[in-house]
Amino acid sequence: MRPERRRAFVTPASRPRLRRHVRLQFDPVRNAWALLSPERVFWPDEVSLDILRRCDGQATMGEMVSALAAEYDADEREVAADVTAFLQEWTDNLLVTL
Amino acid sequence: MTDDLLPPIGMLAELTHRCPLQCPYCSNPIELMKADREMDTGSWLDLFDQAADLGVLQVHLSGGEPTLRRDLEEMVSKLSARKVYTNLITAGVGIGEGRIEALAAAGLDHVQLSLQGTNPGTTELIGHYKGGFEKKLETARRVRAAGLPLTINAPIHRHNIEEVPRFIELAQELDAERLEIANVQYSGWALVNRDALMPERAAVERQADIVEEARERLRGVLNIDFVTPDYFAIYPKPCMGGWARDAFVIAPDGGILPCHAARTIPWLEFERFGEFDLAEIWANSSALNAFRGTGWMQEPCRSCERRELDWGGCRCQAMAIAGDAAATDPACMKSPLHARMRQFAEIPHQAESAGFHYRRIGAKPV
């Protein structure tokens, strides 16, 4: 038997990455980035894209937050709250793994 | 051409109508095509190229049973090379040794496996195929061993609605990431078998509670999609996300349809791929333009605030129950025929074990 799957929770040490069956790719027909997953296509906005592109399994959530806060010149605590909520939702939807 | 024309995102490719199973709710048309009417490999590959050029991002390789096409690996390779997301929709019986692995190597992205029941008895009652259950479980294991993500699709009706909790457990045991609890849509074969399939209201209500509880409990573990039962609904579904809005179906012979049941609307004429390019058909087909957008709507749809949420519901259901494909889907409580649709669901069913019209090529029921 496989180990039972459990819900994963985002922490600053998480190293999120897109699941193997999820693809982020540029669509030249619509001139936009598309995220392809089983049965669904998502059209992430600019902020979501900035987060998803950093989900490479290398960077920790904490590092992502620092980088994003610097890039957007925003308060790190606010960015951390937004990114955590975003990644938790995407993890719960089985699009991102931690 | 209309102002509502967008490039298509999804394509459901019915590669063949051949299938080892005979499920009495099959979404294929009543008049099934034999193998000699299927498009050849070259035409399919050409179609996939044109689809990718047009903007299609996801192709659902379906049937019948798509693995009966020996050129399936070639198709997957082509789509993968064009960066199109491929989803194999299979019954999971009779798949030869090494086939799943070969499809994975060709670049297949995802597999959706249908389960008719959670035990051999129900599975054989519905699929009419001996030993089907064990073969399906074996297919699920091979899919996961090949590293492919798995969705379990469970069409629900009165003969398996009490198995919903077991479907939820089984999906987890099979290491699926998604489970579709899909109440049967009553068109085509399912409409013929409606009285033998329709669940009772109390069971439908229990099912909704069970799914809601499981979704909460299994958040982040198993995604459960719930396709609600139209006959017990108050609003219709946005069938296909709107008629020819961002998805279409291609039949084994290359016929381009807005949905798999559209041939039940007798006055529509469908073009075939090969007679015209895909882009031309997508833009100019009279059948695709018949109910595109909202311009075709009558009241109560025309002034309804939900018209761009549910797009008037299902045209084929309107045809089947209202006798008018442009009517409001009778699943909607605003339809004057909503009460009649309710009656079809509330009629006590004596047909407990009564004969299904099993889906078979050449077995068109009278």
Side-chain angles (χ1 to χ4, degrees):
Chain A
M1 280 299 283
R2 291 181 193 85
E4 198 183 325
R5 274 210 205 125
R6 288 177 191 282
R7 185 181 180 196
F9 291 95
V10 178
T11 72
S14 307
R15 296 178 196 272
R17 63 178 164 83
L18 295 182
R19 281 186 176 251
R20 201 187 121 173
H21 61 274
V22 173
R23 286 212 303 268
L24 188 60
Q25 68 188 40
F26 188 73
D27 171 23
V29 172
R30 297 166 187 82
N31 203 26
W33 285 87
L35 187 123
L36 309 184
S37 74
E39 314 280 340
R40 272 194 82 175
V41 177
F42 297 85
W43 302 98
D45 62 20
E46 215 168 307
V47 179
S48 306
L49 261 180
D50 271 340
I51 301 173
L52 291 170
R53 283 210 186 98
R54 287 179 161 83
C55 293
D56 57 5
Q58 304 290 317
T60 64
M61 213 275 288
E63 289 162 357
M64 287 167 62
V65 166
S66 302
L68 287 164
E71 194 172 307
Y72 284 84
D73 195 16
D75 180 75
E76 205 161 306
R77 275 169 310 179
E78 279 174 33
V79 173
D82 290 350
V83 173
T84 303
F86 177 91
L87 287 176
Q88 189 62 51
E89 189 186 332
W90 282 64
T91 304
D92 285 345
N93 289 330
L94 302 173
L95 297 164
V96 164
T97 182
L98 302 175
Chain B
M1 292 281 274
T2 81
D3 292 342
D4 304 305
L5 190 66
L6 301 168
I9 293 176
M11 172 167 101
L12 178 81
E14 288 178 349
L15 300 179
T16 178
H17 281 162
R18 292 171 289 142
C19 186
L21 302 192
Q22 301 178 10
C23 308
Y25 47 69
C26 180
S27 63
N28 287 157
I30 297 282
E31 304 214 30
L32 295 163
M33 291 175 205
K34 293 184 181 161
D36 59 4
R37 290 187 55 194
E38 293 172 14
M39 285 205 295
D40 62 16
T41 309
S43 303
W44 280 109
L45 297 182
D46 189 17
L47 167 77
F48 292 145
D49 257 328
Q50 292 192 24
D53 290 341
L54 191 57
V56 167
L57 296 171
Q58 278 193 319
V59 169
H60 307 279
L61 298 161
S62 181
E65 173 51 44
T67 57
L68 289 175
R69 290 281 311 212
R70 287 160 192 245
D71 49 5
L72 186 58
E73 286 82 343
E74 237 178 301
M75 297 185 192
V76 170
S77 287
K78 157 66 78 181
L79 290 164
S80 176
R82 295 298 313 261
K83 294 171 77 181
V84 176
Y85 199 96
T86 48
N87 177 24
L88 176 68
I89 300 181
T90 179
V93 303
I95 303 182
E97 199 69 38
R99 205 77 204 284
I100 301 275
E101 297 72 14
L103 289 164
L108 184 66
D109 288 301
H110 176 257
V111 176
Q112 179 184 310
L113 171 69
S114 67
L115 292 187
Q116 285 68 45
T118 58
N119 57 62
T122 315
T123 307
E124 288 175 22
L125 169 71
I126 300 302
H128 218 230
Y129 181 94
K130 196 124 188 73
F133 185 63
E134 294 75 11
K135 290 190 171 147
K136 284 166 178 283
L137 298 191
E138 179 55 23
T139 297
R141 283 184 209 107
R142 283 164 58 190
V143 165
R144 294 298 295 128
L148 290 167
L150 176 68
T151 290
I152 298 295
N153 169 267
I156 301 297
H157 44 79
R158 68 187 304 183
H159 301 276
N160 67 1
I161 194 164
E162 303 299 347
E163 295 179 35
V164 166
R166 182 66 194 127
F167 273 120
I168 294 167
E169 288 171 2
L170 188 55
Q172 292 174 82
E173 289 163 19
L174 296 174
D175 201 28
E177 293 183 350
R178 289 180 69 252
L179 168 64
E180 294 178 354
I181 296 290
N183 284 270
V184 165
Q185 313 267 344
Y186 293 96
S187 64
W189 291 92
L191 188 59
V192 172
N193 288 298
R194 185 173 60 194
D195 283 352
L197 291 168
M198 187 66 69
E200 285 175 23
R201 171 170 295 276
V204 168
E205 285 168 2
R206 273 198 302 280
Q207 168 196 231
D209 291 343
I210 289 164
V211 169
E212 197 184 325
E213 181 278 330
R215 271 180 164 171
E216 190 55 41
R217 175 167 48 87
L218 298 173
R219 187 187 301 275
V221 175
L222 178 71
N223 280 346
I224 306 178
D225 272 11
F226 187 47
V227 179
T228 55
D230 277 342
Y231 281 67
F232 300 90
I234 54 170
Y235 290 121
K237 289 194 197 68
C239 194
M240 293 297 286
W243 182 275
R245 189 163 166 271
D246 64 13
F248 65 95
V249 174
I250 176 151
D253 67 346
I256 306 284
L257 314 176
C259 69
H260 44 63
R263 286 198 207 272
T264 61
I265 301 175
W267 50 269
L268 290 179
E269 286 180 39
F270 303 97
E271 285 77 19
R272 268 192 9 206
F273 178 71
E275 294 168 351
F276 303 94
D277 285 349
L278 182 61
E280 217 175 327
I281 298 175
W282 179 251
N284 299 325
S285 157
S286 61
L288 297 187
N289 281 322
F291 302 111
R292 219 171 218 151
T294 55
W296 57 273
M297 287 179 178
Q298 311 172 11
E299 291 298 351
C301 291
R302 181 183 285 273
S303 61
C304 181
E305 71 280 1
R306 294 178 57 88
R307 66 184 175 276
E308 293 193 359
L309 287 177
D310 54 37
W311 303 98
C314 172
R315 298 302 86 230
C316 306
Q317 194 148 268
M319 184 72 227
I321 293 177
D324 173 9
T328 297
D329 182 341
C332 183
M333 63 179 180
K334 295 183 181 178
S335 161
L337 291 164
H338 188 62
R340 188 197 292 183
M341 187 150 165
R342 279 288 163 101
Q343 275 172 5
F344 287 129
E346 303 291 353
I347 291 169
H349 317 290
Q350 292 91 26
E352 193 59 55
S353 63
F356 288 135
H357 288 282
Y358 281 106
R359 168 239 201 258
R360 249 173 271 177
I361 290 180
K364 185 184 174 184
V366 220

